[in-house]
Amino acid sequence: MERAMISVEGLARRFGDHGQPAVFEDVWFGVEKGEFVCLIGHSGCGKTTILNVLAGLDRPSGGTVIVDNREIDGPSLDRAVIFQSHALLPWLSVLGNIAFAVSSRWPRWPRAKVREHALRFIELVGLKGAADKRPAELSGGMKQRVGIARALSIEPKMLLMDEPFSALDALTRGMLQDEVLRICAETQQTVFMITHDVDEAILLADRIVLMTNGPGACIAEFVVNTMPRAERQRNGLHRHPQYYAIRNHLVEFLVNRSRAFDREIAEHGYDSRRPRTVRPGLAAINPAAEVVPLRHAN
Amino acid sequence: MATLKESLALKSALLSVLLLAVFLGLWQLAAQPAASGGTIVDPEYAKLVGQAAATGSKTPMPTPADIGVALWKHLSDPFYVRGTNDKGIGIQLAWSIGRVLAGYLLAAAVAIPLGFLIGMSPLVYRALDPFIQVLKPVSPLAWMPLALYTIKDSQISSIFVIFICSIWPMLINTAFGVASVRREWLNVARTLEVGPFRKAFRVILPAAAPTIMTGMRISIGIAWLVIVAAEMLVGGTGIGYFVWNEWNNLSIANIVSAILLIGLVGLVLDQMLARIARLVTYPE
Amino acid sequence: MTMFTDPFDAKTLLSRRCACGGNHTPEQHLEATRVAASTEESWWTRVVDAAVLRAVFPHDAQRRLFLRTVGASTAMAAISTVFPLAIAREAFAQGGAPEKRDLKVGFIPITCATPIIMAHPMGFYSKHGLNVEVVKTAGWAVIRDKALNKEYDAAHMLAPMPIAISIGAGSNPIPFAMPAIENINGQAITLASKHKDKRSPKDWKGFRFAVPFDYSMHNYLLRYYVAEHGLDPDKDIQIRSVPPPEMVANLRADNIDGFLGPDPFNQRAVFDGVGFIHLLTKELWDGHPCCAFAVSKEFIAQNPNTYRALLKAIIEATAFASKADNRKEIAKAIAPQNYLNQPEIVLEQILTGTYADGLGAVKRDPKRIDFDPFPWPQFAIWILTQMKRWGQIKGDVDYAKIAADVYLATDTVQLMKEAGFTPPDPTRKTIVIMGKPFDASKPEAYLQSFAIRRS
């Protein structure tokens, strides 16, 4: 079987005694190179745990994660993480934070080269004038820009983002989303992102992974964002013909289906290794396309 | 805003001066020799006793003016040496500061690396905790006889007492600071594949530095408190010896001047560490 | 014999009275005639011999019997085996150069230490080629530890301390020699001024008293005194251990009603108008010991010449101090901060014995404090009887053995037995305390004679 760049295979995690039910179990999915994948689910379904396992910060109770055909056994500079709390080192300046990451990635680089490289990424996220400021002097949005710059500066093979914009106000969030969209387009980054914001997922993701509620959460289905990247503009998104169909599908899942997915399994059957893939956007513009196979090979 | 702040500072300074003036005034009044019954004694007797005793009363407490005179006398010639047991107050203070720094720096050299290890390992933390809890509350001076008995050198013993009393706040704060470094900062280091030494010096140390500095500040305060007591016990040199020597002479004026200087040096030591602490403190 | 009686002459009486017949000690006589002496060597030979012999034979008759029987040379040979008399004399008579010139001698700043202290400013140490640093020390325990730790080469101690060290109480048993008592008398009972009218101990029920140390002559004398007046020191009054400088402060603060303590603090209480001198301890027991000059035996063995020079300086200083005419000069020398750190007028009153009593009278007692270097074994035995009397030591006390552990004399007794002589009884010197004689040969009987006692 041809594996995706990231292949999550049969992942499970339980806390405490073995008698405890798993938070999630039998989770299978993949992320292709250059793909932007969002994972959506309610709190408590173990989204962040999955991301931590991908990052190598947490160990699963069962299953493995294969990256580039190799099972991961810990954190790696290939997988950069953007933390929800931005996790900047408060005693270092903006430049210091990024330079710390750069010199960790390339320990032999001379100081000047590290600095020059770090400044390039500060400029990329639009913080050119704030390089010497301490994190405490920055607004929440600026802090997260530094977090993004730090993650990108080590030129990772993929970005792992844990609800990176959830702590920001709506305006800042929107601007940063545009920024991420632009940067990902420029750098062809592979991204795996956790969110519970439906609009954010529609704006950013090429594919959205829906997760049922815990305990014992699993992947319900994959929603392909059939809106082309070029057409995804934040300002005009709601006017896009596919938008509401996709949005309604996601909201319907989060509001109703995620709770009672057991029933769906009982009615339609379920293959944990190949959850079905749906394209609600296409149905909106071409009702014929609504004929969605129950089982869709990835 | 600035003017408001300035006027507050001015007012508080004025109030401080006023309080001091009232305090000194009351003291001066209270310390005036009481008008005695005027017992007339023979002049030969009067020559043999103090002024107050000659008229049947007790030698009064020194007045603030007496203390000012004593203080001026000490400060105008602080570094004289007139024999083994008679040296200027500057020399005595230098001895005390030297002992405090020696014991304190030794304690820091032990407490910070050890605290690091303890903080990094929950196992070691738990294993050592009972010992620390038992040893920490021991009054530093209780160590003195043991130190004298085993070390057999009073100079090293007093440094040891400083060491043993200043080690605990630093050890506990370092361990606590290291143990409570935010998980996300450690995660940043992990995802950047930072080696253990770089992690210790670039992440954990700066993260724990404010807590460690707090411990060091508590420690220097304790060390300075203890040196005076230790020197009173062991004698020889130092400001504690000076106080003891003047106590022996029942010279309250000299003792009060020494108290003022002890407070001043303590303040300077504390402020020096506070300044260093400010350098390593980071706002979050 | 113009200089000094030959102690090895069987016919001579060797007493505390000077051989010239005048009413002064031999040392005073010596001091007076020393300047005229043609050779100091012979003077020192006599002093050393007399000191040793007197320690060995406190009872003069027995010394004479001993000398008559064995002859002076045999006696000297016998004594030399236990006390290196020849070496000592040689060294004392400008013998070998001191092995160690830079010495540290610890003292507690009280007038008992006068000879040790004054030998520094008055040049007694330097005269004997020693560079002595006299170091003021904070307390008895510290001075003991510093002496044991060899930070001090010699030290000022309370007379009972060598006993305590040799029986291993409070420290490891380390052989310590007490070559000289420093002072006799020199303590006093001081009462708060408000007790002016309560001059009889019978009025002292409920009084709180301070003494410098539990194991001190001060404690034993105070207990003895009140007990003789029918008060039980453990029930009718309170006695606490208080460092001497704090005695005056406590008296002033009304925390205690009085103290039996060392000078200068008795006179200091008078000087500051806080109390009055009820009586001098001399009035209880004229000639009681208080403090001692102590050296470890290890130091003596390693630095015999230094030891002799040091002892020579101390004995000379003591002799100088015992002379009344010198007392004013001494008071001036030891008053500065480097030494006692006390007003000169206070020290002068203590040393000259012309003092204000705190009640408006000037009293004169030239023997208020005196200086006498000779350690009598009877002192040790009396101290032991009082330790037992007040329950500080329990069970059977081997008085002779403990005295033997502390005093060289016992070794000589042993040697004499081996030579076939009846050894003198070193406990036959009688002591009279408050009119009651103490026979050191019958310590248990003496102890049983007290109505108030713990054992």
Side-chain angles (χ1 to χ4, degrees):
Chain A
M1 191 174 93
E2 183 75 7
R3 279 196 170 108
M5 182 181 179
I6 306 174
S7 179
V8 176
E9 303 184 356
L11 217 56
R13 185 73 168 93
R14 46 178 69 80
F15 293 100
D17 297 334
H18 284 282
Q20 297 280 338
V23 183
F24 56 83
E25 59 192 347
D26 213 9
V27 167
W28 298 71
F29 66 88
V31 179
E32 298 294 339
K33 191 169 179 358
E35 192 181 21
F36 197 127
V37 171
C38 269
L39 178 71
I40 284 195
H42 283 290
S43 345
C45 70
K47 302 186 298 267
T48 297
T49 309
I50 288 178
L51 185 122
N52 282 344
V53 171
L54 285 180
L57 296 171
D58 201 351
R59 291 195 176 277
S61 311
T64 58
V65 176
I66 312 279
V67 172
D68 277 342
N69 290 315
R70 288 181 62 183
E71 183 175 351
I72 65 164
D73 60 351
S76 159
L77 283 157
D78 287 341
R79 284 166 270 133
V81 183
I82 297 172
F83 297 89
Q84 180 179 1
S85 56
H86 53 75
L88 299 179
L89 305 181
W91 54 90
L92 295 177
S93 66
V94 167
L95 179 63
N97 266 283
I98 294 167
F100 178 65
V102 174
S103 57
S104 299
R105 177 77 175 85
W106 296 284
R108 286 172 209 285
W109 277 15
R111 194 169 289 226
K113 188 168 183 191
V114 168
R115 186 185 150 84
E116 183 245 349
H117 185 87
L119 283 172
R120 195 148 56 78
F121 282 87
I122 292 173
E123 207 177 328
L124 181 72
V125 295
L127 285 177
K128 204 175 170 188
D132 292 324
K133 289 195 168 156
R134 294 277 184 104
E137 300 169 78
L138 304 178
S139 69
M142 289 162 90
K143 281 184 200 160
Q144 198 52 286
R145 280 168 198 260
V146 180
I148 292 166
R150 178 172 64 186
L152 292 171
S153 71
I154 59 171
E155 296 180 355
K157 287 186 180 163
M158 71 205 65
L159 274 182
L160 304 172
M161 302 162 90
D162 183 9
E163 304 192 30
F165 312 123
S166 61
L168 306 177
D169 64 274
L171 203 66
T172 316
R173 192 188 311 147
M175 283 166 60
L176 270 184
Q177 284 163 349
D178 285 348
E179 207 83 47
V180 167
L181 214 53
R182 174 178 64 79
I183 292 166
C184 289
E186 280 174 24
T187 56
Q188 296 292 307
Q189 268 297 345
T190 307
V191 183
F192 177 74
M193 178 168 133
I194 306 282
T195 184
H196 55 240
D197 181 334
V198 168
D199 286 332
E200 183 170 277
I202 299 170
L203 180 68
L204 297 176
D206 302 322
R207 194 153 55 94
I208 299 156
V209 180
L210 299 182
M211 224 173 150
T212 65
N213 289 3
C218 60
I219 305 295
E221 61 190 23
F222 301 114
V223 177
V224 177
N225 189 352
T226 40
M227 293 157 63
R229 276 193 187 185
E231 290 172 29
R232 289 185 234 146
Q233 299 290 327
R234 194 158 49 86
N235 291 336
L237 198 65
H238 58 281
R239 286 196 291 272
H240 195 281
Q242 296 186 25
Y243 172 73
Y244 281 106
I246 299 172
R247 190 174 198 281
N248 288 345
H249 186 87
L250 297 178
V251 170
E252 165 67 15
F253 175 80
L254 289 175
V255 173
N256 296 318
R257 291 171 57 207
S258 66
R259 264 186 291 134
F261 196 67
D262 287 352
R263 230 173 321 151
E264 276 186 50
I265 292 176
E267 277 174 36
H268 306 292
Y270 173 68
D271 181 354
S272 62
R273 295 190 176 216
R274 291 184 190 78
R276 66 175 191 166
T277 301
V278 296
R279 293 179 175 78
L282 291 183
I285 49 171
N286 176 14
E290 219 207 331
V291 184
V292 177
L294 276 176
R295 288 180 190 172
H296 174 84
N298 225 4
Chain B
M1 276 315 278
T3 53
L4 191 71
K5 220 176 177 180
E6 270 167 35
S7 79
L8 185 68
L10 191 70
K11 276 182 192 161
S12 65
L14 272 174
L15 190 61
S16 295
V17 170
L18 189 72
L19 284 173
L20 183 67
V22 168
F23 174 69
L24 292 180
L26 287 175
W27 179 0
Q28 182 85 38
L29 282 177
Q32 289 299 332
S36 66
T39 330
I40 308 298
V41 289
D42 69 286
E44 190 193 2
Y45 183 87
K47 251 195 284 176
L48 295 179
V49 296
Q51 240 179 346
T55 53
S57 58
K58 297 178 182 180
T59 304
M61 269 289 284
T63 62
D66 296 335
I67 283 153
V69 169
L71 199 58
W72 176 248
K73 198 187 94 218
H74 289 304
L75 292 181
S76 54
D77 186 11
F79 296 110
Y80 71 83
V81 177
R82 274 185 220 122
T84 312
N85 307 308
D86 187 9
K87 292 173 182 147
I89 201 158
I91 292 179
Q92 309 287 20
L93 280 170
W95 269 102
S96 300
I97 293 169
R99 287 197 186 106
V100 161
L101 289 186
Y104 177 78
L105 293 179
L106 272 176
V110 172
I112 293 173
L114 192 63
F116 230 90
L117 288 180
I118 296 174
M120 298 274 265
S121 157
L123 177 74
V124 180
Y125 196 110
R126 288 197 164 197
L128 289 182
D129 193 54
F131 299 106
I132 295 174
Q133 295 307 328
V134 167
L135 293 178
K136 184 181 65 164
V138 174
S139 163
L141 288 185
W143 293 100
M144 190 50 112
L146 185 69
L148 278 174
Y149 188 83
T150 51
I151 300 173
K152 299 197 184 302
D153 182 302
S154 59
Q155 177 74 1
I156 299 174
S157 294
S158 40
I159 291 174
F160 170 79
V161 168
I162 297 301
F163 169 84
I164 203 77
C165 74
S166 52
I167 197 168
W168 307 115
M170 288 196 266
L171 187 69
I172 291 166
N173 269 46
T174 305
F176 176 76
V178 166
S180 53
V181 170
R182 284 230 223 138
R183 183 142 209 99
E184 55 182 50
W185 297 336
L186 295 176
N187 279 345
V188 166
R190 288 177 69 195
T191 57
L192 293 174
E193 295 189 62
V194 173
F197 277 102
R198 197 168 140 86
K199 183 163 91 178
F201 284 103
R202 295 288 314 269
V203 180
I204 297 174
L205 191 62
T211 321
I212 296 174
M213 281 311 300
T214 307
M216 292 181 79
R217 213 174 143 186
I218 297 171
S219 281
I220 197 87
I222 294 177
W224 187 244
L225 283 181
V226 167
I227 192 65
V228 176
E231 286 169 346
M232 284 182 83
L233 210 64
V234 176
T237 45
I239 192 68
Y241 164 78
F242 179 88
V243 170
W244 173 81
N245 195 22
E246 293 307 328
W247 180 218
N248 220 58
N249 182 25
L250 300 164
S251 168
I252 305 298
N254 283 337
I255 292 172
V256 175
S257 353
I259 288 172
L260 290 174
L261 289 174
I262 290 168
L264 213 64
V265 172
L267 180 77
V268 168
L269 288 175
D270 185 65
Q271 285 307 305
M272 274 163 56
L273 278 162
R275 191 151 292 191
I276 300 172
R278 231 170 292 145
L279 287 181
V280 301
T281 303
Y282 47 84
E284 283 189 47
Chain C
M1 201 76 321
T2 52
M3 314 263 240
F4 195 69
T5 339
D6 182 351
F8 284 100
D9 182 344
K11 290 183 201 98
T12 336
L13 262 166
L14 194 62
S15 71
R16 297 292 306 130
R17 266 292 192 76
C18 184
C20 78
N23 188 16
H24 51 241
T25 65
E27 291 78 21
Q28 285 169 321
H29 183 104
L30 276 172
E31 181 56 35
T33 55
R34 195 165 59 86
V35 189
S38 54
T39 53
E40 277 201 16
E41 288 80 10
S42 61
W43 185 77
W44 276 112
T45 307
R46 299 276 150 72
V47 171
V48 172
D49 291 358
V52 172
L53 268 184
R54 209 173 341 192
V56 176
F57 305 108
H59 205 269
D60 215 46
Q62 262 150 352
R63 180 188 61 89
R64 275 174 287 141
L65 177 72
F66 177 55
L67 289 172
R68 242 195 321 268
T69 322
V70 300
S73 54
T74 318
M76 283 179 67
I79 289 164
S80 296
T81 53
V82 286
F83 188 87
L85 209 54
I87 310 168
R89 252 196 282 176
E90 198 179 297
F92 272 72
Q94 244 109 110
E99 295 83 355
K100 189 178 174 193
R101 284 179 187 278
D102 297 325
L103 301 178
K104 277 191 174 177
V105 177
F107 72 93
I108 304 284
I110 53 181
T111 41
C112 302
T114 298
I116 292 181
I117 302 169
M118 60 176 265
H120 184 253
M122 302 182 90
F124 288 94
Y125 294 127
S126 50
K127 185 181 151 198
H128 295 285
L130 298 175
N131 177 23
V132 173
E133 217 184 305
V134 285
V135 187
K136 211 185 283 187
T137 311
W140 298 113
V142 178
I143 212 166
R144 176 197 63 203
D145 289 347
K146 285 192 172 181
L148 295 181
N149 295 347
K150 295 173 193 156
E151 278 185 57
Y152 293 158
D153 299 294
H156 163 208
M157 289 186 183
L158 281 168
M161 284 170 69
I163 300 175
I165 293 176
S166 69
I167 60 178
S171 62
N172 280 336
I174 289 178
F176 246 77
M178 197 179 77
I181 289 278
E182 284 166 29
N183 68 309
I184 52 174
N185 305 336
Q187 324 302 310
I189 296 179
T190 299
L191 292 180
S193 300
K194 66 174 178 181
H195 295 310
K196 259 178 215 195
D197 305 323
K198 297 187 180 166
R199 298 300 295 272
S200 166
K202 291 184 173 40
D203 301 330
W204 290 0
K205 268 203 178 199
F207 272 30
R208 295 149 303 168
F209 280 97
V211 294
F213 205 56
D214 282 342
Y215 298 87
S216 66
M217 287 302 293
H218 309 86
N219 188 20
Y220 305 137
L221 286 173
L222 179 63
R223 286 168 171 269
Y224 190 102
Y225 176 63
V226 297
E228 288 298 289
H229 284 89
L231 292 187
D232 186 323
D234 288 318
K235 290 175 186 147
D236 299 325
I237 60 169
Q238 279 182 40
I239 300 177
R240 4 176 138 144
S241 241
V242 171
E246 292 175 29
M247 288 176 175
V248 182
N250 274 305
L251 198 63
R252 188 189 171 106
D254 211 12
N255 280 334
I256 53 173
D257 296 287
F259 58 83
L260 197 161
D263 270 317
F265 297 103
N266 299 296
Q267 200 58 47
R268 189 64 202 260
V270 172
F271 183 81
D272 283 332
V274 174
F276 66 93
I277 293 175
H278 170 67
L279 56 75
L280 302 176
T281 51
K282 173 183 172 290
E283 298 165 42
L284 303 178
W285 170 3
D286 190 5
H288 74 78
C290 176
C291 291
F293 175 72
V295 191
S296 80
K297 287 189 179 164
E298 189 189 335
F299 180 84
I300 300 176
Q302 285 173 357
N303 309 284
N305 292 338
T306 302
Y307 163 67
R308 277 163 218 136
L310 187 60
L311 193 56
K312 203 165 159 183
I314 295 284
I315 291 175
E316 233 180 71
T318 310
F320 186 79
S322 67
K323 210 178 164 201
D325 294 350
N326 298 329
R327 297 279 178 86
K328 266 198 174 182
E329 193 189 337
I330 295 169
K332 192 178 170 62
I334 65 176
Q337 196 184 347
N338 198 24
Y339 305 109
L340 288 188
N341 194 20
Q342 289 290 341
E344 194 182 317
I345 184 73
V346 170
L347 297 179
E348 202 179 294
Q349 292 178 67
I350 296 158
L351 291 174
T352 61
T354 299
Y355 64 96
D357 67 351
L359 295 169
V362 177
K363 293 200 169 173
R364 283 175 182 81
D365 189 342
K367 294 277 178 200
R368 173 174 176 172
I369 185 167
D370 205 352
F371 301 94
D372 180 343
F374 296 106
W376 296 91
Q378 286 83 352
F379 293 161
I381 295 172
W382 186 83
I383 289 167
L384 285 165
T385 63
Q386 300 304 303
M387 284 178 161
K388 188 170 178 189
R389 179 182 181 185
W390 304 117
Q392 287 183 336
I393 43 177
K394 299 232 161 26
D396 290 335
V397 177
D398 192 343
Y399 297 95
K401 178 168 185 312
I402 296 174
D405 284 342
V406 182
Y407 293 94
L408 288 165
T410 322
D411 291 340
T412 316
V413 167
Q414 188 60 39
L415 276 166
M416 286 177 65
K417 269 187 189 163
E418 284 170 20
F421 299 108
T422 312
D425 182 350
T427 63
R428 287 272 297 274
K429 179 194 163 142
T430 44
I431 290 168
V432 179
I433 302 158
M434 293 178 75
K436 184 182 167 89
F438 165 59
D439 182 351
S441 65
K442 300 185 182 74
E444 269 312 310
Y446 178 71
L447 181 53
Q448 297 307 319
S449 72
F450 292 109
I452 299 173
R453 61 172 194 270
R454 294 286 87 79
S455 60

